[in-house]
Amino acid sequence: MTTAPYTSPIPVRRARLGDALASEWTKIRSLRSTMWTLGVMTTVVVGVGFLLAWAIGQVPDEGESVPSGGVLELGIVGMLLGSVCVITLGVLTITSEYGTGLIRTTLTACPSRGRVLAAKSIVFFVVVFVISTAVSALSALVQTGMIGTSGGATAEHWFRATVGVGLFMATLGLFSLAVGTMLRHSAGAITTMIGLVLLPFVLAIGMYAESLERLRTVLVEYSIPSLLSRLYSGTTNFGGGTPAGWDPLWIMLGVTAAALAGAYLTLSRRDV
């Protein structure tokens, strides 16, 4: 006697990108590291901005001499510190799964590794962009309100110092995610990213010879902190080929795209 094959009453269909996005959204909002890193970033950026504005306000007539554009540039200090949190979260978004072994379950449920990487990248980018933009805007409003300046900053300057900074930070986080995918080790990937942020300045310090001046200048001007500071600056043209205006964002996007391509090749050709 032959029995009929079992047929599940639950509809079966192929997984799509939307399913991977829903899965990654559940993961990133469930991780304690997401709450802690983004919470610390918010506290640091707004807190440092508040302290700088308060310090300027303690000096008589100092606030009146600071144009609104200069007030926006105060945000770079807190955001540079907050970038460590974004880098950490970007790395942990992928390396935490390797550490716990969850990556095996993820790739079993979604064998398309390109889809997994794309879903992680999209969800991470949107989350960090929204938070970074909101924090940048809040910090700018707090500083402007405390110092009491008005005018001096164009609409484009405000847009770059809020939305532009949010895009830059989200892209920097994607770069960290790509490095984490290639290295598969949390401490190693975070150390590598911190090194990439600080190394140009460390190298520039040792390049005191006159023949190395051009290389020293390039290292400093194209470092991640310098690129981020250009978005806060009200100047859109520094001359001499120095990145200005929206150029830092395009540079960061190009570097991140190359890193993500390397991450995809590494993920697709390597065993878990």
Side-chain angles (χ1 to χ4, degrees):
M1 177 179 175
T2 59
T3 58
Y6 173 77
T7 302
S8 173
I10 302 175
V12 179
R13 62 175 178 80
R14 296 184 61 181
R16 299 184 177 90
L17 178 60
D19 301 310
L21 289 172
S23 174
E24 295 303 327
W25 167 243
T26 301
K27 291 177 187 176
I28 199 168
R29 66 186 176 89
S30 301
L31 287 173
R32 286 180 294 179
S33 58
T34 302
M35 178 186 67
W36 280 106
T37 52
L38 294 181
V40 170
M41 184 193 76
T42 300
T43 303
V44 167
V45 174
V46 178
V48 171
F50 173 85
L51 289 175
L52 289 175
W54 177 82
I56 292 176
Q58 298 306 301
V59 181
D61 300 328
E62 181 70 17
E64 297 179 2
S65 64
V66 179
S68 181
V71 175
L72 294 181
E73 293 175 20
L74 293 176
I76 180 62
V77 180
M79 193 57 71
L80 275 177
L81 295 174
S83 66
V84 177
C85 300
V86 172
I87 288 172
T88 301
L89 181 60
V91 169
L92 292 178
T93 298
I94 181 69
T95 57
S96 61
E97 293 201 33
Y98 281 103
T100 61
L102 180 62
I103 190 67
R104 298 185 182 89
T105 304
T106 299
L107 295 180
T108 299
C110 183
S112 174
R113 302 191 177 193
R115 185 186 301 156
V116 170
L117 183 60
K120 285 184 179 294
S121 300
I122 293 172
V123 171
F124 175 85
F125 185 90
V126 172
V127 169
V128 175
F129 167 68
V130 171
I131 298 298
S132 298
T133 302
V135 170
S136 298
L138 177 59
S139 178
L141 290 173
V142 168
Q143 292 167 338
T144 303
M146 291 182 65
I147 295 179
T149 59
S150 60
T154 64
E156 182 189 357
H157 189 186
W158 273 91
F159 193 71
R160 281 191 287 109
T162 53
V163 177
V165 168
L167 289 171
F168 188 93
M169 295 297 289
T171 306
L172 176 62
L174 275 187
F175 186 26
S176 305
L177 190 153
V179 172
T181 303
M182 290 185 280
L183 297 184
R184 300 192 298 181
H185 190 274
S186 299
I190 292 173
T191 302
T192 299
M193 285 301 305
I194 298 298
L196 290 174
V197 173
L198 299 178
L199 186 60
F201 290 99
V202 175
L203 292 176
I205 292 174
M207 296 181 179
Y208 51 83
E210 186 176 350
S211 59
L212 298 175
E213 181 179 358
R214 182 175 179 82
L215 177 58
R216 181 174 65 248
T217 301
V218 170
L219 284 174
V220 172
E221 290 183 349
Y222 286 87
S223 65
I224 290 174
S226 293
L227 292 177
L228 179 59
S229 68
R230 295 294 189 238
L231 290 173
Y232 278 101
S233 174
T235 305
T236 57
N237 183 13
F238 286 90
T242 301
W246 291 95
D247 293 343
L249 179 59
W250 310 138
I251 293 172
M252 196 67 213
L253 284 171
V255 172
T256 301
L260 284 173
Y264 170 73
L265 291 176
T266 303
L267 185 64
S268 60
R269 296 181 180 182
R270 185 173 57 191
D271 292 335
V272 177

